[in-house]
């Protein structure tokens, strides 16, 4: 008598237990950023300390002030950031298609949760007029406790 799952009519059949393990691993991998955020928030609440890297500042250059304001408002409307600073007239020198270019741009400093950086970056690419917009982030190490509390309330999970 054969046991259930010991034979499979198809060649190289995957047993149900292997499928369940694969599903659990895939689900765990996909939810890792969310789980990490929840664990960091719990740790912070229990210990009363700030966990370095929970929040980030995202830098984005824009061609003009109107574009910068439009992107900033769209980001805030989507609750992808707590605040955005618009710094006017940043001089930029960079390589583009083998040549050194020079431009005056507007710099956005976007404060967000580190768990939102990938989603924020994708959203900015949809809105931004540049072929390859400059989008990069730096994790925050410390901050004022009251500011960080406000920050947590301003950006939805």
């Amino acid at each position: 008598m054969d046991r259930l799952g010991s034979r499979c009519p198809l060649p190289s059949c995957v047993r149900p237990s292997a499928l369940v393990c694969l599903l659990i691993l895939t689900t765990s991998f996909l939810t890792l950023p969310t789980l990490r955020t929840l664990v960091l928030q719990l740790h912070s609440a229990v210990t009363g300390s700030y966990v370095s890297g929970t929040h980030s500042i995202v830098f984005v250059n824009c061609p003009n002030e109107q574009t910068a304001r439009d992107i900033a408002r769209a980001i805030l409307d989507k609750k992808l950031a707590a605040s955005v600073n618009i710094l006017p007239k940043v001089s930029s020198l960079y390589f583009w298609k083998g040549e050194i270019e020079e431009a005056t741009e507007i710099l956005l400093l976007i404060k967000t949760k580190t768990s939102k950086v990938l989603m924020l970056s994708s959203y900015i690419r949809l809105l931004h007029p540049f072929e390859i917009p400059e989008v990069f982030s730096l994790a925050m190490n410390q901050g004022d406790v009251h500011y960080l509390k406000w920050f947590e309330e301003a950006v939805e999970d």
Side-chain angles (χ1 to χ4, degrees):
M1 204 187 297
D2 291 334
R3 283 192 275 154
L4 184 62
S6 65
R7 284 188 13 186
C8 184
L10 300 174
S12 68
C13 180
V14 178
R15 291 194 171 124
S17 60
L19 285 174
V20 171
C21 289
L22 182 61
L23 180 63
I24 290 170
L25 286 173
T26 302
T27 304
S28 298
F29 179 74
L30 293 175
T31 60
L32 187 59
T34 304
L35 291 175
R36 181 182 184 278
T37 300
L38 292 173
V39 168
L40 291 175
Q41 287 174 349
L42 179 62
H43 177 270
S44 182
V46 170
T47 64
S49 64
Y50 178 71
V51 178
S52 181
T54 305
H55 302 95
S56 292
I57 300 174
V58 178
F59 296 76
V60 178
N61 277 351
C62 296
N64 56 56
E65 191 170 343
Q66 188 59 53
T67 299
R69 286 188 183 284
D70 291 347
I71 290 173
R73 285 193 176 278
I75 289 166
L76 292 171
D77 284 343
K78 292 275 188 191
K79 303 274 190 208
L80 292 173
S83 71
V84 180
N85 296 115
I86 300 174
L87 303 173
K89 297 191 179 188
V90 175
S91 294
S92 298
L93 285 91
Y94 53 92
F95 279 106
W96 182 248
K97 299 185 178 180
E99 300 291 324
I100 296 175
E101 298 288 332
E102 190 169 342
T104 300
E105 298 176 314
I106 309 299
L107 177 61
L108 298 179
L109 297 180
I110 304 165
K111 277 75 77 183
T112 191
K113 292 180 180 178
T114 302
S115 62
K116 297 278 186 182
V117 170
L118 289 177
M119 188 183 314
L120 178 64
S121 179
S122 295
Y123 189 61
I124 289 169
R125 277 195 309 276
L126 291 174
L127 302 173
H128 208 287
F130 289 170
E131 184 179 334
I132 303 174
E134 176 183 52
V135 180
F136 67 92
S137 68
L138 298 174
M140 292 182 194
N141 287 325
Q142 292 295 322
D144 178 75
V145 175
H146 302 289
Y147 176 78
L148 294 172
K149 184 178 185 308
W150 165 81
F151 196 119
E152 280 296 318
E153 294 167 0
V155 181
E156 295 177 351
D157 284 322

